[in-house]
Amino acid sequence: MNTYLKLLYDEHSIIINAIEVAKKSESLIGKDDILYEKTIRNLIDFFRNYADKYHHTKEEMILFPEMEKKNELLQDGVIKEMFDNHEEFREMIASIEKNLDQKNFINTQKELDAYGEALLDHIAVENEEVFQMAETIFDDDELERISFRFLDSDRELGDKRKEELKELADLLRKQAFLSD
């Protein structure tokens, strides 16, 4: 793993942990619907803000455009696929929230599971293909510049809020794994 892209890999690990919480949340349906709804609302907040606002923004505004500048062929290939996935994830979260608002917990969970699976597939493509590609098309100086831009993006969006979201995901994970 290239140290310059470590931030993106680390964010993926945190997102994967939240997906695990989402899967385990199903066991609350019918047993503790109030806790289920609270947990899913927290997960929606996490996915909408941490995964999309912080993580996907770095990819969409920094990494992907830089990759496209280096190789225009990427624009219609894997990069387009990643952009399309991000948009689909936003739509999926909106649908999950709509089902939750209607107290339709079975459909909420079904859509949350589909979202989690799609996000896991997306992360695998990024980790195994996109980030590897970035490591080959950029030299160390370019990767260092990109990584500084990642940090700038987090600062602009709010380092404190990002840390709060990470702590929320950690807390939800502890709660989910303690409830067994």
Side-chain angles (χ1 to χ4, degrees):
M1 173 193 333
N2 188 298
T3 57
Y4 298 118
L5 298 179
K6 185 177 183 320
L7 179 62
L8 297 180
Y9 285 108
D10 290 348
E11 288 173 350
H12 277 173
S13 294
I14 293 164
I15 293 166
I16 289 168
N17 287 340
I19 293 169
E20 290 176 11
V21 172
K23 289 178 187 176
K24 289 187 74 81
S25 296
E26 182 174 18
S27 66
L28 294 171
I29 297 173
K31 292 180 189 169
D32 191 340
D33 288 346
I34 293 169
L35 181 58
Y36 176 80
E37 183 174 356
K38 181 180 177 190
T39 300
I40 303 310
R41 289 204 188 282
N42 282 323
L43 285 168
I44 289 169
D45 181 38
F46 173 83
F47 289 126
R48 189 172 273 150
N49 288 290
Y50 188 92
D52 193 37
K53 183 177 173 185
Y54 284 90
H55 181 76
H56 293 159
T57 294
K58 284 186 209 62
E59 294 170 343
E60 291 177 359
M61 303 304 289
I62 301 166
L63 182 63
F64 297 162
E66 291 294 329
M67 290 177 74
E68 290 172 346
K69 285 182 203 172
K70 284 291 238 187
N71 183 340
E72 289 180 17
L73 297 176
L74 295 174
Q75 196 169 7
D76 291 327
V78 70
I79 300 299
K80 182 183 181 325
E81 179 185 340
M82 297 299 99
F83 272 110
D84 290 348
N85 287 169
H86 291 176
E87 192 54 43
E88 290 166 10
F89 296 147
R90 291 176 189 116
E91 292 168 8
M92 292 172 92
I93 285 294
S95 182
I96 291 164
E97 186 172 42
K98 182 179 176 185
N99 275 298
L100 189 63
D101 289 344
Q102 296 171 353
K103 308 280 191 223
N104 188 337
F105 299 148
I106 300 298
N107 280 349
T108 299
Q109 189 64 42
K110 190 168 109 178
E111 289 191 11
L112 188 59
D113 289 343
Y115 171 83
E117 287 304 312
L119 193 51
L120 286 172
D121 290 344
H122 176 85
I123 288 170
V125 170
E126 286 184 343
N127 285 351
E128 296 164 17
E129 294 178 35
V130 177
F131 298 167
Q132 301 296 317
M133 200 179 311
E135 291 173 5
T136 62
I137 64 174
F138 297 119
D139 62 33
D140 282 349
D141 288 340
E142 291 168 318
L143 284 169
E144 182 178 32
R145 183 177 49 78
I146 289 168
S147 72
F148 282 126
R149 288 180 63 199
F150 292 160
L151 296 173
D152 289 343
S153 175
D154 281 349
R155 270 192 293 280
E156 288 171 16
L157 293 170
D159 285 329
K160 184 178 181 209
R161 175 68 172 137
K162 182 181 178 189
E163 187 57 32
E164 290 169 354
L165 289 162
K166 181 187 175 301
E167 289 170 5
L168 172 64
D170 290 343
L171 176 66
L172 291 171
R173 189 164 196 269
K174 286 177 189 158
Q175 290 172 344
F177 288 93
L178 289 176
S179 66
D180 286 343

